[in-house]
Amino acid sequence: AVGISGGAIQAQTGNFGDLNVSGEATIASLTVTGTANFNGDIVVNGHIVSGGSTPTVASAIGGVTTSIEGTDTAGTITVTLPAGTSGEVAKATFVNVFGAAPRVTLTPDNAASAALQYYTSSRATDSFGLGVSGAPPAGTYRFTYQVIQ
């Protein structure tokens, strides 16, 4: 039911093909099931929380173990490396494919990881890789990641 009172629309429920608001709109909760386009700044007065399922992670290098926590947008990859391992040590595969290869930011999440020579070894619409070079000592290394197209 939709009612108009003093120029304000009040609704318990309603379905609209289009809704145009030329002023402020206060919405307690909003779920967008399609694409949302913004033609101005987005100001967030709270936290940005990424949702979704956890991507998968694996390594093609023998002796390397991997794990991942998070979503396609942000999370933490943990790798345990044998001594001297180099190359792409982990490949994260997204739950939802991006429209183009996204940008990936990797940040060391512990002191041991900060000492590594690490890099984004691959980027594709469905995955990204974590690479290390040099000859790192055996150990467990953690990296946080943020992904945006």
Side-chain angles (χ1 to χ4, degrees), residues 34-76:
T35 300
N37 294 303
F38 298 90
N39 293 321
D41 295 336
I42 298 173
V43 178
V44 178
N45 290 322
H47 296 115
I48 297 174
V49 180
S50 67
S53 299
T54 303
T56 58
V57 68
S59 180
I61 299 174
V64 175
T65 60
T66 61
S67 65
I68 192 168
E69 299 173 35
T71 66
D72 284 354
T73 305
T76 303

Side-chain angles (χ1 to χ4, degrees), residues 50-58 66-77 91-98 125-128 145-147:
S50 67
S53 299
T54 303
T56 58
V57 68
T66 61
S67 65
I68 192 168
E69 299 173 35
T71 66
D72 284 354
T73 305
T76 303
I77 293 176
K91 185 171 193 169
T93 301
F94 303 125
V95 175
N96 297 301
V97 175
F98 285 87
T125 58
D126 66 343
S127 62
F128 72 91
Y145 64 88
Q146 290 185 336
V147 180

Side-chain angles (χ1 to χ4, degrees), residues 81-87 115-117 132-139 141:
L81 305 178
T85 303
S86 64
L116 286 183
Q117 296 174 17
V132 297
S133 60
Y141 303 94

Side-chain angles (χ1 to χ4, degrees), residues 104-134:
V104 178
T105 302
L106 296 170
T107 305
D109 198 40
N110 61 12
S113 302
L116 286 183
Q117 296 174 17
Y118 66 93
Y119 58 97
T120 303
S121 54
S122 62
R123 288 186 312 117
T125 58
D126 66 343
S127 62
F128 72 91
L130 165 63
V132 297
S133 60

